[in-house]
Amino acid sequence: MNETITVPTNGKHPSYLEYKGKYKGFLGWVLSTDHKRIGILYLVSILSFFLVGATFGFLLRLELIAPGRTIMDPQTYNSFFTLHGVIMVFLFVIPAIPAIFGNFFLPILIGARDVSFPRLNLLSWYLYIIGGLLAIISIIAPGGAADTGWTFYIPYSVRTGTNVIYALFAAFVLGFSSILTGINFVTTVHRLRAPGMTWFKTPLSVWSIYSTAWVQVLVTPIIGITLLLVVIERTFSVGLFDPALGGDPVLFQHLFWIYSHPAVYIMILPAMGIVSEIIPVFARRTIFGYKFIALSSVAIAFFGSLVWAHHMFTAGMSNTGQFIFSLLTMIVSIPSAIKVFNWTATLYKGSIELAPPLLYVLAFIFQFAIGGLTGVMLGILSIDIMVHDTSFVVAHFHYVMFGGTGFGIFAALHYWLPKMFGRMYNIKVAKSTFWLVFVGFNLLYFPMFIMGWLGMPRRYYDYLPEFHIYHLLSTIGSWILILGILIMFTNFIVALIRGKKITEKNIWGGETLEWTIDTPPIHENFLEIPTVHEAPYEYKQNETDIRQFQEVK
Amino acid sequence: MFNGASNFSHDVDSLFLFTLIVSVFFLVLITGLMIYFVIKYNRKRNPKATNFHGSTKLEITWTLIPTILVLIMFWWGWKGYSKMSDIPENAMTIDVTAQMWSWSFKYANGKVSDSLYVPVDKPIVLNLQSMDVVHAFYIPAFRIKKDVFPKQNRVVWFEADEIGDYDIACAEYCGLNHSYMYNKIKVVSEDDFSNWLYGSFDTETTK
Ligand SMILES: [Cu+2]
């Protein structure tokens, strides 16, 4: 923070990409404490893991194209869905938005030069990489890749001979990475907002990343402790969860979900922030219900931490427990619904440009609505008894995690990559690719709702012939989706290498602070810390002649 | 879509249908509005946007209506679940054992079978126990499911409505052959059931 900015002879300040710090070349990246460079490190590593996880998913779908064996044996299948889950949850969806875009844009959005603890920030990335390496070791080490599912339910995870310990340890280390990032962001948002940026003048993506950071800090230690207890149980034969040693497997499920359910909100909240950020920009108008959107993030973070046991309605809880957890689950759907309504209302009387980021955001709303509504169904006790642990659940959480968060990430990539690198991707290609990704996604996951309701259990290597048509459609969807994703990534990579250079500060017409600084941003973002007078997304130019329509709070 | 065959099926299916209709309504509403706005207020057609900061009336409306709807759904689901968890006392009890990767059923008279024979229209209580890991006893056609733990007892009950054969599946992942952990439940008339139960002990090996 105290380094002086080198001013080159032509008087222009070098971008963070050209900035010469203490180290050069590769070391200048992996030892940099610049939040933007760390954001790029995360971008590369997280998207690489996404492609690995997607490959596993693709192979799983290929196996399921027809009943019986297609390309792999059941043991491989069981390992693959475990790895798909572990990689996608811990290495992709949880860290993606906070670690990539939070790192890169959070300080800029609040008018700061960096996060509060830049070195801690770099440490988080190293922990992420160590966690990722442990996950890879668990795949290739002798003993075989873990085959327990990402939920590691006991006693199966104690009995299997596969490398569960490595996978658990990977999740443990990744948890620390997540906690440190959370602490860093909470502090940054509290301490480093620019003068004049009161809470209700803070961009909505900051609200959602801030709420997420609290959840990360508060609940991640629980999974850490739980996984450690499993390691202790396995190593020293202490009876905690394993009934053979006198432990209680239901206790493990509780502890696991006390973290892993709030983790669902760690995954979705930041994407909701992205949506709130993008809609007003492409509708060219102020966001509808700013306060309701902002406070609903806090409500989701709070209530979302109290509903974990709805994953265990069939496990045999007391009726009081079932009653309370079902009721709270219904309540937590309300703040999400509020967001969806406000987003839709923000399109009303806008001046809408259907650019690639907005396309992905609209798909987000559609798919998140499906994911959310089926989530309500799953929260209803008697319906959950029927569809729990079926492909209905698989469809539901993929609609939320992929159709929601995944599409949020795609939207953010299309929205911010030009700012991050100063190069533009091919917009036409991006628009047509969107349709591939959208159709592929829905064809892949929608049939799973139907067969789940018809009684197709999840994590099945083989299935009854009556489910064939749905599996077949789903697999065809996976091909379309993968094709779309590959074209999207190619479009980005081509743009980075030889895309049109842009130096324009505000390419989309946004009104948040990242659009007031250079493209790509300079080292330490701002020459002078800005003073904020307005709430974000005001779009004052709309108000010159039509004030009477307003109902300002 | 609705092929239930137990005393719970009808209630679960009606509730599912209700939530489905509500869900489709909201999905069509949201999606329809989005598409309509995107077309109507396209930048070419509407170069200048109008600002609306919000409306407390609307916020209250779209908070209250979904809240009432989900509370209705919650209560209905709770009622349905209470029925499932309210184990009748006069029922016939059968011991169910789960083991990687099959089910077996033991009757009060000591008869053991790998298909679950039950008389139609009679309440049946199943005592669930696992020999190894966690499984889940699942009869899709009956809309029932219960996790099965080692060294802990779980109970599930039902009354079959229609004579016929249905699938019993394992719904909690339990390792290598999890997807092959299928057995049959055979719902038969009362006469057929007692003939079977007190008939020869060693002929019932087909699934
Ligand atoms: Cu099983």
Side-chain angles (χ1 to χ4, degrees):
Chain A
M1 293 284 280
N2 298 323
E3 302 159 68
T4 44
I5 296 168
T6 17
V7 184
T9 42
N10 63 7
K12 196 189 174 308
H13 296 278
S15 80
Y16 78 101
L17 293 166
E18 299 151 347
Y19 176 76
K20 302 265 183 300
K22 214 179 194 177
Y23 304 97
K24 294 188 179 54
F26 183 69
L27 284 184
W29 283 91
V30 295
L31 294 177
S32 169
T33 54
D34 177 0
H35 67 99
K36 296 183 290 303
R37 289 201 165 199
I38 294 174
I40 303 289
L41 291 178
Y42 272 118
L43 175 78
V44 173
S45 32
I46 287 175
L47 290 186
S48 307
F49 277 114
F50 168 66
L51 290 179
V52 176
T55 308
F56 283 123
F58 171 77
L59 293 171
L60 291 169
R61 277 316 324 165
L62 200 56
E63 169 55 42
L64 291 172
I65 191 169
R69 185 195 160 110
T70 312
I71 55 163
M72 59 180 91
D73 57 41
Q75 184 61 38
T76 313
Y77 177 86
N78 294 345
S79 290
F80 276 18
F81 75 65
T82 304
L83 296 169
H84 172 75
V86 168
I87 291 173
M88 286 304 202
V89 170
F90 294 109
L91 289 160
F92 174 60
V93 192
I94 288 182
I97 296 178
I100 301 173
F101 302 107
N103 261 312
F104 199 105
F105 285 106
L106 180 83
I108 303 180
L109 283 164
I110 60 173
R113 294 210 159 100
D114 207 319
V115 292
S116 285
F117 310 114
R119 289 197 185 131
L120 199 62
N121 202 15
L122 185 63
L123 176 65
S124 307
W125 180 72
Y126 276 99
L127 288 175
Y128 173 83
I129 292 297
I130 293 170
L133 290 176
L134 281 167
I136 292 170
I137 290 173
S138 85
I139 301 174
I140 53 180
D147 64 343
T148 59
W150 78 281
T151 46
F152 303 114
Y153 271 17
I154 287 175
Y156 184 74
S157 63
V158 179
R159 287 176 55 119
T160 175
T162 56
N163 297 327
V164 176
I165 287 278
Y166 291 111
L168 287 175
F169 203 51
F172 181 75
V173 174
L174 290 167
F176 271 96
S177 170
S178 189
I179 294 169
L180 295 184
T181 304
I183 291 173
N184 216 339
F185 286 176
V186 168
T187 317
T188 305
V189 173
H190 272 278
R191 306 292 301 172
L192 297 182
R193 275 173 295 134
M197 185 177 278
T198 57
W199 281 104
F200 288 118
K201 285 182 183 156
T202 306
L204 286 164
S205 58
V206 175
W207 270 100
S208 62
I209 289 178
Y210 173 75
S211 313
T212 309
W214 270 113
V215 184
Q216 280 173 284
V217 172
L218 292 175
V219 302
T220 318
I222 298 166
I223 191 78
I225 293 163
T226 310
L227 297 180
L228 210 58
L229 288 175
V230 174
V231 174
I232 290 171
E233 175 168 56
R234 282 182 62 123
T235 325
F236 303 107
S237 294
V238 190
L240 297 166
F241 308 124
D242 184 0
L245 299 169
D248 183 0
V250 183
L251 178 64
F252 173 81
Q253 296 186 10
H254 273 291
L255 290 172
F256 179 84
W257 288 115
I258 287 177
Y259 165 73
S260 296
H261 192 76
V264 170
Y265 296 97
I266 296 178
M267 299 187 233
I268 191 67
L269 268 171
M272 291 171 156
I274 303 278
V275 171
S276 309
E277 207 67 60
I278 287 177
I279 294 182
V281 174
F282 293 94
R284 278 292 187 281
R285 50 153 285 182
T286 188
I287 190 135
F288 196 93
Y290 171 94
K291 279 192 185 174
F292 291 90
I293 295 181
L295 294 176
S296 63
S297 292
V298 182
I300 290 172
F302 179 76
F303 284 110
S305 302
L306 301 174
V307 297
W308 72 88
H310 66 206
H311 294 268
M312 301 163 58
F313 285 155
T314 64
M317 246 184 299
S318 71
N319 274 12
T320 320
Q322 306 275 69
F323 184 95
I324 292 170
F325 282 110
S326 172
L327 183 60
L328 285 171
T329 303
M330 304 315 262
I331 300 296
V332 81
S333 67
I334 301 299
S336 299
I338 292 174
K339 277 186 197 281
V340 169
F341 290 126
N342 279 294
W343 291 328
T344 312
T346 302
L347 294 169
Y348 177 64
K349 294 216 168 169
S351 173
I352 299 166
E353 185 197 350
L354 216 48
L358 186 64
L359 280 171
Y360 280 100
V361 160
L362 297 180
F364 172 107
I365 298 176
F366 172 74
Q367 284 150 191
F368 177 73
I370 295 179
L373 290 162
T374 51
V376 170
M377 292 179 178
L378 285 165
I380 300 170
L381 280 168
S382 61
I383 294 182
D384 183 71
I385 299 299
M386 170 62 185
V387 286
H388 177 71
D389 269 333
T390 68
S391 60
F392 191 92
V393 176
V394 179
H396 155 72
F397 69 73
H398 279 91
Y399 263 84
V400 178
M401 303 287 74
F402 191 170
T405 308
F407 275 63
I409 294 164
F410 296 157
L413 286 169
H414 285 91
Y415 184 55
W416 276 324
L417 269 193
K419 185 79 199 176
M420 296 163 83
F421 293 100
R423 292 201 186 246
M424 194 64 199
Y425 51 83
N426 184 321
I427 293 215
K428 266 194 194 141
V429 172
K431 281 187 184 171
S432 26
T433 311
F434 163 78
W435 290 106
L436 275 182
V437 175
F438 177 73
V439 170
F441 172 85
N442 284 285
L443 186 59
L444 166 53
Y445 294 110
F446 200 83
M448 293 188 191
F449 282 124
I450 303 170
M451 61 177 155
W453 170 253
L454 295 176
M456 172 75 218
R458 66 188 283 206
R459 294 173 168 173
Y460 263 33
Y461 166 75
D462 203 354
Y463 50 84
L464 300 174
E466 66 232 49
F467 299 118
H468 184 200
I469 178 68
Y470 308 106
H471 278 291
L472 179 64
L473 286 173
S474 176
T475 301
I476 294 171
S478 75
W479 298 340
I480 302 173
L481 178 63
I482 279 277
L483 180 69
I485 291 172
L486 289 178
I487 299 177
M488 181 203 299
F489 281 27
T490 312
N491 193 17
F492 289 147
I493 291 165
V494 170
L496 296 189
I497 297 167
R498 54 186 176 83
K500 199 179 112 217
K501 278 203 173 173
I502 40 172
T503 49
E504 222 180 309
K505 284 183 178 169
N506 194 352
I507 44 170
W508 304 119
E511 292 207 336
T512 35
L513 289 172
E514 78 272 36
W515 306 112
T516 64
I517 60 172
D518 283 353
T519 303
I522 60 165
H523 183 70
E524 299 207 329
N525 316 331
F526 301 94
L527 288 174
E528 209 177 305
I529 295 295
T531 306
V532 177
H533 303 285
E534 298 292 338
Y537 339 109
E538 278 298 292
Y539 290 94
K540 289 267 178 213
Q541 74 267 23
N542 296 338
E543 296 179 21
T544 45
D545 47 2
I546 11 188
R547 287 197 171 238
Q548 66 270 29
F549 284 104
Q550 283 195 43
E551 204 191 322
V552 189
K553 290 283 83 55
Chain B
M1 185 175 174
F2 302 114
N3 53 355
S6 81
N7 57 328
F8 305 122
S9 311
H10 180 72
D11 183 58
V12 174
D13 291 2
S14 317
L15 176 53
F16 185 76
L17 191 63
F18 173 67
T19 57
L20 191 65
I21 291 168
V22 172
S23 301
V24 169
F25 170 77
F26 278 104
L27 184 66
V28 169
L29 179 76
I30 293 289
T31 315
L33 280 175
M34 279 195 317
I35 295 172
Y36 175 73
F37 290 159
V38 165
I39 295 170
K40 177 111 193 269
Y41 304 116
N42 196 280
R43 188 155 307 164
K44 286 194 193 99
R45 232 172 257 164
N46 191 35
K48 194 171 172 73
T50 311
N51 275 355
F52 292 90
H53 282 85
S55 146
T56 311
K57 262 186 213 150
L58 270 178
E59 300 286 351
I60 291 173
T61 316
W62 63 46
T63 304
L64 226 52
I65 292 176
T67 306
I68 292 167
L69 283 171
V70 295
L71 287 179
I72 293 171
M73 293 171 187
F74 160 75
W75 189 252
W76 189 341
W78 162 249
K79 283 283 149 206
Y81 178 77
S82 305
K83 205 169 121 195
M84 294 178 192
S85 65
D86 187 14
I87 312 291
E89 276 166 17
N90 58 344
M92 180 170 90
T93 305
I94 302 167
D95 289 329
V96 180
T97 306
Q99 198 169 2
M100 292 159 147
W101 291 277
S102 70
W103 304 93
S104 80
F105 307 96
K106 191 173 172 197
Y107 293 77
N109 68 350
K111 181 156 182 149
V112 177
S113 163
D114 57 13
S115 288
L116 176 57
Y117 280 82
V118 294
V120 70
D121 292 331
K122 285 268 177 282
I124 309 289
V125 171
L126 302 177
N127 280 324
L128 308 168
Q129 273 268 356
S130 167
M131 300 295 283
D132 37 52
V133 301
V134 186
H135 302 270
F137 182 85
Y138 179 31
I139 307 180
F142 289 10
R143 313 289 186 252
I144 57 167
K145 184 181 290 126
K146 197 81 174 179
D147 294 1
V148 186
F149 288 87
K151 302 201 174 166
Q152 292 184 5
N153 200 45
R154 294 288 186 278
V155 180
V156 71
W157 83 281
F158 62 85
E159 217 177 281
D161 279 355
E162 274 172 58
I163 290 178
D165 288 4
Y166 307 94
D167 293 313
I168 299 170
C170 175
E172 182 62 63
Y173 172 70
C174 59
L176 190 68
N177 289 325
H178 171 51
S179 69
Y180 296 105
M181 199 164 155
Y182 270 110
N183 288 54
K184 284 280 179 207
I185 172 165
K186 292 170 185 284
V187 181
V188 294
S189 70
E190 243 198 298
D191 289 349
D192 285 354
F193 180 73
S194 35
N195 284 342
W196 174 82
L197 186 63
Y198 299 106
S200 153
F201 268 40
D202 48 16
T203 52
E204 304 303 332
T205 48
T206 49
K207 273 199 179 177

